[in-house]
Amino acid sequence: MHLRSEAIVLAIRAHGEHGAIVRALTESDGLQPGYVRGGRSRALRPILQPANLILGDWRARTEDQLPGLTVELIHSRAPLFREPLPAAALDWATALTAAALPDGQPYPRLHSALDGVLSAVEAAPAARGWAVALVRYELLLLADLGFGLDLERCAATGATSDLAFVSPRSGSAVSVGGAYGYEDRLFPLPGFLTQGGAAEWDDILAGLRITGHFLERDVLIGRDAEVLAARSRLVDRLKRAVA
């Protein structure tokens, strides 16, 4: 097995005294794990940071063996970890992707979208410029894993207009008329999820509530609690930032 590719670093786990197991997302070959000799060294720690773009070289004698991985830095996003809010966004986006995707299966749309989210955080660390992109990335990940939301028509009436809610059970939109009497059991549907464009903070937080519910229920079942903790930190910091 030999693979040489650009990749986004998603997760790093210490292995042995000096090494690290790194999981990185490639465009054509999906999520690829590899063992980096000396991965915890002073020279490699700045390279092996979540959200960094690397050139990776994976080599293994058999398909079942964990490949050895050597890395070269292409682009570093490490300076963003000095600021709490951008750091929380990078932590969550990379941890979610590492936890949700199976190894070795290509998800080119997710690779492109994740790179777009990380670049948006880098370009606009104040959050207004990237929060909408993050919600859309979560929706895309749900869809590509087979848990997509149906926000085009009302689950109760079939109507395609006046869509104002989302059912927490089915993930389908519900119109004003279809929701009558059950509004308090449904998620408010923010307009930017169906109409595109920018969004106010209340709508962004509403979007995060929707995606968070379905990610936890359908994708992150039984996953490391630290993954969900990363999302809680991000949402808490967003709420404080806009309060």
Side-chain angles (χ1 to χ4, degrees):
M1 179 269 191
H2 180 211
L3 171 65
R4 184 174 176 84
S5 176
E6 292 186 6
I8 301 169
V9 177
L10 300 181
I12 306 98
R13 177 167 58 88
H15 185 80
E17 189 174 353
H18 302 292
I21 295 176
V22 176
R23 305 182 77 204
L25 185 65
T26 69
E27 181 177 12
S28 300
D29 296 275
L31 197 156
Q32 294 289 331
Y35 173 74
V36 179
R37 188 180 300 275
R40 299 166 64 191
S41 68
R42 182 176 298 179
L44 287 178
R45 278 201 304 268
I47 298 174
L48 298 178
Q49 291 282 332
N52 279 359
L53 183 63
I54 61 167
L55 178 62
D57 194 292
W58 289 262
R59 293 177 184 266
R61 293 182 179 180
T62 69
E63 292 291 338
D64 297 329
Q65 182 184 30
L66 179 67
L69 171 61
T70 58
V71 298
E72 299 175 30
L73 181 65
I74 295 176
H75 178 67
S76 174
R77 295 187 172 103
L80 293 172
F81 283 91
R82 298 170 186 162
E83 298 295 332
L85 190 49
L90 299 187
D91 271 341
W92 163 243
T94 53
L96 168 63
T97 308
L101 299 189
D103 292 351
Q105 295 187 24
Y107 291 91
R109 292 200 308 168
L110 286 177
H111 178 277
S112 176
L114 176 61
D115 186 61
V117 170
L118 300 177
S119 296
V121 175
E122 191 172 18
R128 190 61 179 268
W130 52 257
V132 167
L134 180 62
V135 177
R136 294 193 180 283
Y137 176 70
E138 294 179 345
L139 284 174
L140 179 62
L141 186 143
L142 283 165
D144 276 13
L145 292 178
F147 302 104
L149 278 60
D150 181 2
L151 304 180
E152 296 184 356
R153 65 186 68 253
C154 174
T157 67
T160 58
S161 60
D162 294 325
L163 301 177
F165 302 93
V166 175
S167 166
R169 295 184 63 184
S170 68
S172 299
V174 183
S175 66
V176 174
Y180 182 75
Y182 297 92
E183 294 89 345
D184 60 344
R185 302 182 189 180
L186 305 172
F187 292 120
L189 173 60
F192 78 96
L193 292 187
T194 56
Q195 301 165 17
E200 299 298 325
W201 277 115
D202 285 348
D203 283 346
I204 291 170
L205 294 174
L208 287 169
R209 284 194 295 273
I210 293 170
T211 53
H213 169 77
F214 291 104
L215 286 169
E216 185 170 356
R217 190 192 74 177
D218 298 327
V219 175
L220 299 175
I221 305 168
R223 300 292 183 176
D224 190 336
E226 179 57 26
V227 177
L228 292 174
R231 193 176 202 277
S232 295
R233 287 193 296 271
L234 171 61
V235 173
D236 288 345
R237 288 174 182 176
L238 282 172
K239 289 178 178 178
R240 289 200 299 267
V242 302

Short mmCIF file of all heavy atoms in Angstrom, two decimals, residues 130-188:
data_model
loop_
_atom_site.label_atom_id
_atom_site.label_comp_id
_atom_site.label_asym_id
_atom_site.label_seq_id
_atom_site.Cartn_x
_atom_site.Cartn_y
_atom_site.Cartn_z
N TRP A 130 -18.06 32.77 9.28
CA TRP A 130 -17.92 31.32 9.07
C TRP A 130 -19.00 30.48 9.75
O TRP A 130 -19.12 29.29 9.46
CB TRP A 130 -16.56 30.84 9.54
CG TRP A 130 -16.14 31.21 10.94
CD1 TRP A 130 -15.27 32.19 11.29
CD2 TRP A 130 -16.54 30.58 12.17
NE1 TRP A 130 -15.11 32.23 12.65
CE2 TRP A 130 -15.87 31.25 13.23
CE3 TRP A 130 -17.39 29.52 12.49
CZ2 TRP A 130 -16.02 30.90 14.57
CZ3 TRP A 130 -17.56 29.17 13.83
CH2 TRP A 130 -16.87 29.86 14.84
N ALA A 131 -19.80 31.05 10.62
CA ALA A 131 -20.77 30.24 11.36
C ALA A 131 -21.82 29.61 10.43
O ALA A 131 -22.21 28.45 10.61
CB ALA A 131 -21.45 31.08 12.43
N VAL A 132 -22.27 30.37 9.43
CA VAL A 132 -23.24 29.82 8.47
C VAL A 132 -22.61 28.66 7.71
O VAL A 132 -23.25 27.62 7.49
CB VAL A 132 -23.73 30.91 7.51
CG1 VAL A 132 -24.48 30.30 6.33
CG2 VAL A 132 -24.63 31.91 8.24
N ALA A 133 -21.36 28.83 7.29
CA ALA A 133 -20.67 27.75 6.56
C ALA A 133 -20.55 26.50 7.41
O ALA A 133 -20.64 25.37 6.89
CB ALA A 133 -19.29 28.23 6.11
N LEU A 134 -20.34 26.66 8.71
CA LEU A 134 -20.23 25.50 9.59
C LEU A 134 -21.55 24.74 9.68
O LEU A 134 -21.58 23.50 9.62
CB LEU A 134 -19.79 25.94 10.98
CG LEU A 134 -19.64 24.83 12.02
CD1 LEU A 134 -18.57 23.83 11.59
CD2 LEU A 134 -19.30 25.41 13.39
N VAL A 135 -22.67 25.46 9.81
CA VAL A 135 -23.97 24.80 9.85
C VAL A 135 -24.21 24.04 8.55
O VAL A 135 -24.66 22.89 8.54
CB VAL A 135 -25.11 25.82 10.08
CG1 VAL A 135 -26.47 25.12 10.05
CG2 VAL A 135 -24.92 26.53 11.42
N ARG A 136 -23.88 24.66 7.43
CA ARG A 136 -24.07 24.00 6.14
C ARG A 136 -23.17 22.76 6.02
O ARG A 136 -23.58 21.75 5.41
CB ARG A 136 -23.80 24.97 5.00
CG ARG A 136 -24.80 26.10 4.93
CD ARG A 136 -24.70 26.86 3.61
NE ARG A 136 -25.66 27.94 3.56
CZ ARG A 136 -26.96 27.79 3.34
NH1 ARG A 136 -27.46 26.59 3.16
NH2 ARG A 136 -27.76 28.83 3.29
N TYR A 137 -21.98 22.82 6.58
CA TYR A 137 -21.10 21.65 6.54
C TYR A 137 -21.71 20.50 7.34
O TYR A 137 -21.68 19.35 6.90
CB TYR A 137 -19.71 22.01 7.10
CG TYR A 137 -18.80 20.81 7.17
CD1 TYR A 137 -18.32 20.22 6.01
CD2 TYR A 137 -18.45 20.24 8.40
CE1 TYR A 137 -17.50 19.10 6.05
CE2 TYR A 137 -17.63 19.11 8.45
CZ TYR A 137 -17.15 18.56 7.28
OH TYR A 137 -16.36 17.43 7.33
N GLU A 138 -22.26 20.80 8.49
CA GLU A 138 -22.89 19.76 9.29
C GLU A 138 -24.07 19.13 8.55
O GLU A 138 -24.27 17.91 8.59
CB GLU A 138 -23.34 20.33 10.64
CG GLU A 138 -22.19 20.76 11.52
CD GLU A 138 -22.63 21.35 12.85
OE1 GLU A 138 -23.82 21.69 12.98
OE2 GLU A 138 -21.78 21.46 13.74
N LEU A 139 -24.86 19.95 7.85
CA LEU A 139 -25.97 19.42 7.06
C LEU A 139 -25.46 18.52 5.94
O LEU A 139 -26.04 17.46 5.66
CB LEU A 139 -26.79 20.56 6.47
CG LEU A 139 -27.74 21.31 7.40
CD1 LEU A 139 -28.36 22.50 6.67
CD2 LEU A 139 -28.84 20.38 7.89
N LEU A 140 -24.39 18.95 5.28
CA LEU A 140 -23.82 18.14 4.19
C LEU A 140 -23.29 16.82 4.72
O LEU A 140 -23.49 15.76 4.09
CB LEU A 140 -22.70 18.92 3.50
CG LEU A 140 -21.99 18.19 2.36
CD1 LEU A 140 -22.95 17.86 1.22
CD2 LEU A 140 -20.81 19.02 1.85
N LEU A 141 -22.63 16.84 5.87
CA LEU A 141 -22.12 15.60 6.44
C LEU A 141 -23.26 14.64 6.76
O LEU A 141 -23.18 13.44 6.46
CB LEU A 141 -21.29 15.91 7.69
CG LEU A 141 -20.57 14.72 8.32
CD1 LEU A 141 -19.20 15.13 8.85
CD2 LEU A 141 -21.39 14.12 9.47
N LEU A 142 -24.33 15.15 7.35
CA LEU A 142 -25.51 14.31 7.61
C LEU A 142 -26.02 13.70 6.31
O LEU A 142 -26.32 12.49 6.25
CB LEU A 142 -26.60 15.14 8.27
CG LEU A 142 -26.42 15.45 9.76
CD1 LEU A 142 -27.36 16.58 10.19
CD2 LEU A 142 -26.68 14.22 10.62
N ALA A 143 -26.12 14.50 5.26
CA ALA A 143 -26.65 14.01 3.99
C ALA A 143 -25.73 12.96 3.38
O ALA A 143 -26.20 11.91 2.90
CB ALA A 143 -26.83 15.18 3.02
N ASP A 144 -24.43 13.20 3.38
CA ASP A 144 -23.50 12.26 2.74
C ASP A 144 -23.40 10.94 3.50
O ASP A 144 -23.01 9.92 2.93
CB ASP A 144 -22.11 12.89 2.60
CG ASP A 144 -22.00 13.75 1.35
OD1 ASP A 144 -23.05 14.05 0.75
OD2 ASP A 144 -20.88 14.12 0.96
N LEU A 145 -23.76 10.95 4.77
CA LEU A 145 -23.75 9.71 5.55
C LEU A 145 -25.12 9.02 5.56
O LEU A 145 -25.30 8.01 6.25
CB LEU A 145 -23.29 9.99 6.98
CG LEU A 145 -21.83 10.41 7.12
CD1 LEU A 145 -21.50 10.70 8.59
CD2 LEU A 145 -20.88 9.34 6.58
N GLY A 146 -26.07 9.58 4.82
CA GLY A 146 -27.37 8.94 4.71
C GLY A 146 -28.41 9.41 5.70
O GLY A 146 -29.47 8.77 5.83
N PHE A 147 -28.16 10.53 6.37
CA PHE A 147 -29.11 11.04 7.36
C PHE A 147 -29.56 12.46 7.01
O PHE A 147 -29.81 13.29 7.89
CB PHE A 147 -28.47 11.04 8.75
CG PHE A 147 -28.00 9.69 9.21
CD1 PHE A 147 -26.65 9.36 9.20
CD2 PHE A 147 -28.92 8.72 9.61
CE1 PHE A 147 -26.21 8.11 9.61
CE2 PHE A 147 -28.49 7.47 10.03
CZ PHE A 147 -27.14 7.16 10.03
N GLY A 148 -29.68 12.73 5.72
CA GLY A 148 -30.02 14.07 5.27
C GLY A 148 -31.40 14.52 5.71
O GLY A 148 -32.34 13.71 5.83
N LEU A 149 -31.54 15.81 5.95
CA LEU A 149 -32.82 16.39 6.32
C LEU A 149 -33.60 16.75 5.05
O LEU A 149 -33.00 17.15 4.04
CB LEU A 149 -32.62 17.65 7.18
CG LEU A 149 -32.37 17.44 8.67
CD1 LEU A 149 -31.11 16.64 8.92
CD2 LEU A 149 -32.27 18.79 9.38
N ASP A 150 -34.90 16.59 5.09
CA ASP A 150 -35.76 16.97 3.97
C ASP A 150 -36.42 18.30 4.30
O ASP A 150 -37.40 18.36 5.04
CB ASP A 150 -36.82 15.89 3.73
CG ASP A 150 -37.73 16.24 2.56
OD1 ASP A 150 -37.51 17.29 1.90
OD2 ASP A 150 -38.69 15.48 2.29
N LEU A 151 -35.84 19.37 3.74
CA LEU A 151 -36.34 20.71 4.05
C LEU A 151 -37.06 21.34 2.88
O LEU A 151 -37.25 22.56 2.84
CB LEU A 151 -35.15 21.60 4.48
CG LEU A 151 -34.32 21.09 5.65
CD1 LEU A 151 -33.19 22.06 5.96
CD2 LEU A 151 -35.20 20.86 6.88
N GLU A 152 -37.51 20.52 1.92
CA GLU A 152 -38.13 21.06 0.70
C GLU A 152 -39.65 21.04 0.75
O GLU A 152 -40.29 21.79 0.01
CB GLU A 152 -37.65 20.27 -0.51
CG GLU A 152 -36.15 20.41 -0.76
CD GLU A 152 -35.71 19.70 -2.01
OE1 GLU A 152 -36.56 19.03 -2.65
OE2 GLU A 152 -34.53 19.82 -2.37
N ARG A 153 -40.24 20.18 1.58
CA ARG A 153 -41.70 20.11 1.63
C ARG A 153 -42.15 19.71 3.03
O ARG A 153 -41.40 19.09 3.78
CB ARG A 153 -42.24 19.15 0.59
CG ARG A 153 -41.88 17.71 0.78
CD ARG A 153 -42.35 16.85 -0.39
NE ARG A 153 -41.58 17.18 -1.58
CZ ARG A 153 -42.08 17.87 -2.62
NH1 ARG A 153 -43.34 18.29 -2.58
NH2 ARG A 153 -41.34 18.14 -3.67
N CYS A 154 -43.40 20.05 3.33
CA CYS A 154 -43.95 19.76 4.66
C CYS A 154 -44.24 18.28 4.81
O CYS A 154 -44.88 17.66 3.96
CB CYS A 154 -45.23 20.56 4.86
SG CYS A 154 -46.11 20.18 6.40
N ALA A 155 -43.76 17.70 5.91
CA ALA A 155 -43.99 16.28 6.17
C ALA A 155 -45.45 15.98 6.42
O ALA A 155 -45.91 14.86 6.18
CB ALA A 155 -43.15 15.85 7.37
N ALA A 156 -46.21 16.96 6.90
CA ALA A 156 -47.62 16.72 7.25
C ALA A 156 -48.57 16.97 6.09
O ALA A 156 -49.54 16.22 5.90
CB ALA A 156 -48.01 17.61 8.43
N THR A 157 -48.30 17.99 5.28
CA THR A 157 -49.26 18.39 4.23
C THR A 157 -48.70 18.27 2.82
O THR A 157 -49.47 18.34 1.86
CB THR A 157 -49.71 19.84 4.45
OG1 THR A 157 -48.58 20.72 4.23
CG2 THR A 157 -50.24 20.05 5.87
N GLY A 158 -47.39 18.15 2.69
CA GLY A 158 -46.78 18.12 1.36
C GLY A 158 -46.55 19.49 0.77
O GLY A 158 -46.01 19.61 -0.34
N ALA A 159 -46.92 20.53 1.48
CA ALA A 159 -46.76 21.90 0.98
C ALA A 159 -45.28 22.26 0.86
O ALA A 159 -44.44 21.77 1.62
CB ALA A 159 -47.46 22.88 1.93
N THR A 160 -44.98 23.12 -0.10
CA THR A 160 -43.60 23.58 -0.30
C THR A 160 -43.42 25.04 0.11
O THR A 160 -42.34 25.59 -0.07
CB THR A 160 -43.20 23.40 -1.77
OG1 THR A 160 -44.12 24.14 -2.60
CG2 THR A 160 -43.21 21.93 -2.17
N SER A 161 -44.47 25.64 0.65
CA SER A 161 -44.39 27.04 1.10
C SER A 161 -44.70 27.13 2.58
O SER A 161 -45.23 26.19 3.19
CB SER A 161 -45.37 27.90 0.31
OG SER A 161 -46.70 27.44 0.49
N ASP A 162 -44.36 28.27 3.16
CA ASP A 162 -44.60 28.53 4.59
C ASP A 162 -43.95 27.48 5.49
O ASP A 162 -44.48 27.12 6.55
CB ASP A 162 -46.10 28.59 4.90
CG ASP A 162 -46.78 29.77 4.23
OD1 ASP A 162 -46.14 30.83 4.13
OD2 ASP A 162 -47.94 29.62 3.80
N LEU A 163 -42.79 26.98 5.08
CA LEU A 163 -42.07 26.00 5.90
C LEU A 163 -41.42 26.75 7.05
O LEU A 163 -40.62 27.66 6.84
CB LEU A 163 -41.03 25.27 5.06
CG LEU A 163 -41.57 24.52 3.84
CD1 LEU A 163 -40.44 23.88 3.05
CD2 LEU A 163 -42.59 23.46 4.26
N ALA A 164 -41.76 26.37 8.28
CA ALA A 164 -41.32 27.16 9.44
C ALA A 164 -40.72 26.32 10.56
O ALA A 164 -40.18 26.88 11.51
CB ALA A 164 -42.51 27.95 10.00
N PHE A 165 -40.79 25.00 10.45
CA PHE A 165 -40.33 24.13 11.53
C PHE A 165 -39.64 22.90 10.95
O PHE A 165 -39.74 22.60 9.77
CB PHE A 165 -41.50 23.70 12.42
CG PHE A 165 -42.25 24.82 13.06
CD1 PHE A 165 -43.38 25.35 12.44
CD2 PHE A 165 -41.82 25.37 14.26
CE1 PHE A 165 -44.08 26.40 13.01
CE2 PHE A 165 -42.52 26.42 14.84
CZ PHE A 165 -43.64 26.93 14.22
N VAL A 166 -38.93 22.18 11.85
CA VAL A 166 -38.32 20.90 11.50
C VAL A 166 -38.72 19.88 12.56
O VAL A 166 -38.62 20.16 13.77
CB VAL A 166 -36.78 21.00 11.44
CG1 VAL A 166 -36.16 19.62 11.19
CG2 VAL A 166 -36.35 21.96 10.34
N SER A 167 -39.15 18.71 12.13
CA SER A 167 -39.52 17.66 13.07
C SER A 167 -38.26 17.01 13.65
O SER A 167 -37.40 16.56 12.90
CB SER A 167 -40.35 16.58 12.36
OG SER A 167 -40.44 15.42 13.15
N PRO A 168 -38.13 16.96 14.97
CA PRO A 168 -36.95 16.31 15.57
C PRO A 168 -36.96 14.80 15.39
O PRO A 168 -35.94 14.15 15.61
CB PRO A 168 -37.05 16.70 17.05
CG PRO A 168 -38.50 16.97 17.28
CD PRO A 168 -39.02 17.54 15.99
N ARG A 169 -38.08 14.23 14.99
CA ARG A 169 -38.15 12.79 14.78
C ARG A 169 -37.78 12.41 13.36
O ARG A 169 -36.95 11.53 13.13
CB ARG A 169 -39.55 12.28 15.10
CG ARG A 169 -39.94 12.43 16.56
CD ARG A 169 -41.30 11.82 16.85
NE ARG A 169 -41.30 10.37 16.59
CZ ARG A 169 -42.38 9.61 16.68
NH1 ARG A 169 -43.55 10.15 17.00
NH2 ARG A 169 -42.29 8.32 16.44
N SER A 170 -38.37 13.08 12.37
CA SER A 170 -38.17 12.69 10.98
C SER A 170 -37.10 13.48 10.26
O SER A 170 -36.60 13.05 9.22
CB SER A 170 -39.49 12.82 10.21
OG SER A 170 -39.87 14.19 10.08
N GLY A 171 -36.75 14.66 10.78
CA GLY A 171 -35.81 15.51 10.07
C GLY A 171 -36.43 16.20 8.87
O GLY A 171 -35.72 16.69 8.00
N SER A 172 -37.74 16.24 8.80
CA SER A 172 -38.45 16.87 7.68
C SER A 172 -38.99 18.23 8.10
O SER A 172 -39.29 18.47 9.27
CB SER A 172 -39.60 15.98 7.22
OG SER A 172 -39.13 14.73 6.77
N ALA A 173 -39.15 19.09 7.09
CA ALA A 173 -39.75 20.40 7.33
C ALA A 173 -41.24 20.25 7.62
O ALA A 173 -41.88 19.28 7.22
CB ALA A 173 -39.53 21.30 6.12
N VAL A 174 -41.77 21.23 8.34
CA VAL A 174 -43.20 21.27 8.64
C VAL A 174 -43.67 22.71 8.40
O VAL A 174 -43.02 23.67 8.84
CB VAL A 174 -43.49 20.85 10.10
CG1 VAL A 174 -45.00 20.84 10.35
CG2 VAL A 174 -42.89 19.50 10.40
N SER A 175 -44.79 22.85 7.71
CA SER A 175 -45.32 24.18 7.42
C SER A 175 -46.04 24.76 8.63
O SER A 175 -46.31 24.05 9.61
CB SER A 175 -46.28 24.10 6.24
OG SER A 175 -47.43 23.34 6.59
N VAL A 176 -46.37 26.03 8.54
CA VAL A 176 -47.10 26.68 9.63
C VAL A 176 -48.41 25.96 9.89
O VAL A 176 -48.78 25.67 11.04
CB VAL A 176 -47.35 28.17 9.28
CG1 VAL A 176 -48.25 28.81 10.34
CG2 VAL A 176 -46.03 28.92 9.19
N GLY A 177 -49.13 25.65 8.81
CA GLY A 177 -50.40 24.96 8.97
C GLY A 177 -50.23 23.54 9.49
O GLY A 177 -50.99 23.09 10.35
N GLY A 178 -49.23 22.84 9.00
CA GLY A 178 -49.01 21.47 9.43
C GLY A 178 -48.55 21.36 10.87
O GLY A 178 -48.71 20.31 11.50
N ALA A 179 -47.98 22.44 11.39
CA ALA A 179 -47.46 22.42 12.76
C ALA A 179 -48.47 22.91 13.78
O ALA A 179 -48.17 22.89 14.98
CB ALA A 179 -46.21 23.29 12.84
N TYR A 180 -49.65 23.31 13.33
CA TYR A 180 -50.60 23.95 14.24
C TYR A 180 -50.89 23.05 15.45
O TYR A 180 -51.27 21.88 15.32
CB TYR A 180 -51.90 24.26 13.51
CG TYR A 180 -52.92 24.97 14.38
CD1 TYR A 180 -52.76 26.31 14.70
CD2 TYR A 180 -54.01 24.27 14.92
CE1 TYR A 180 -53.69 26.96 15.52
CE2 TYR A 180 -54.92 24.91 15.74
CZ TYR A 180 -54.75 26.25 16.03
OH TYR A 180 -55.65 26.89 16.86
N GLY A 181 -50.68 23.61 16.63
CA GLY A 181 -50.91 22.90 17.87
C GLY A 181 -49.74 22.09 18.37
O GLY A 181 -49.74 21.59 19.50
N TYR A 182 -48.70 21.96 17.52
CA TYR A 182 -47.52 21.16 17.90
C TYR A 182 -46.23 21.98 17.82
O TYR A 182 -45.12 21.41 17.86
CB TYR A 182 -47.39 19.94 16.96
CG TYR A 182 -48.54 18.98 17.06
CD1 TYR A 182 -49.64 19.11 16.21
CD2 TYR A 182 -48.55 17.96 18.00
CE1 TYR A 182 -50.72 18.23 16.30
CE2 TYR A 182 -49.62 17.08 18.10
CZ TYR A 182 -50.70 17.22 17.23
OH TYR A 182 -51.75 16.35 17.33
N GLU A 183 -46.36 23.28 17.74
CA GLU A 183 -45.19 24.12 17.51
C GLU A 183 -44.10 23.93 18.57
O GLU A 183 -42.91 23.96 18.25
CB GLU A 183 -45.59 25.61 17.47
CG GLU A 183 -46.46 25.99 16.29
CD GLU A 183 -47.95 25.83 16.58
OE1 GLU A 183 -48.30 25.16 17.58
OE2 GLU A 183 -48.74 26.39 15.81
N ASP A 184 -44.51 23.72 19.82
CA ASP A 184 -43.52 23.62 20.89
C ASP A 184 -42.75 22.30 20.87
O ASP A 184 -41.78 22.13 21.60
CB ASP A 184 -44.19 23.80 22.26
CG ASP A 184 -45.27 22.75 22.53
OD1 ASP A 184 -45.70 22.08 21.57
OD2 ASP A 184 -45.68 22.61 23.70
N ARG A 185 -43.16 21.37 20.02
CA ARG A 185 -42.46 20.09 19.90
C ARG A 185 -41.50 20.06 18.71
O ARG A 185 -40.86 19.04 18.46
CB ARG A 185 -43.47 18.95 19.74
CG ARG A 185 -44.48 18.84 20.87
CD ARG A 185 -45.41 17.67 20.65
NE ARG A 185 -46.52 17.67 21.60
CZ ARG A 185 -47.47 16.75 21.63
NH1 ARG A 185 -47.45 15.75 20.74
NH2 ARG A 185 -48.46 16.83 22.51
N LEU A 186 -41.43 21.16 17.99
CA LEU A 186 -40.66 21.21 16.76
C LEU A 186 -39.53 22.24 16.87
O LEU A 186 -39.57 23.14 17.71
CB LEU A 186 -41.56 21.59 15.59
CG LEU A 186 -42.79 20.71 15.37
CD1 LEU A 186 -43.69 21.32 14.31
CD2 LEU A 186 -42.38 19.29 14.99
N PHE A 187 -38.50 22.08 16.02
CA PHE A 187 -37.44 23.08 15.91
C PHE A 187 -37.89 24.19 14.97
O PHE A 187 -38.39 23.90 13.87
CB PHE A 187 -36.16 22.47 15.33
CG PHE A 187 -35.48 21.47 16.22
CD1 PHE A 187 -35.30 20.16 15.80
CD2 PHE A 187 -34.98 21.84 17.46
CE1 PHE A 187 -34.64 19.24 16.59
CE2 PHE A 187 -34.33 20.92 18.27
CZ PHE A 187 -34.17 19.61 17.83
N PRO A 188 -37.70 25.45 15.34
CA PRO A 188 -37.89 26.52 14.36
C PRO A 188 -36.90 26.35 13.20
O PRO A 188 -35.73 26.01 13.41
CB PRO A 188 -37.60 27.80 15.15
CG PRO A 188 -37.76 27.41 16.59
CD PRO A 188 -37.34 25.97 16.68
#
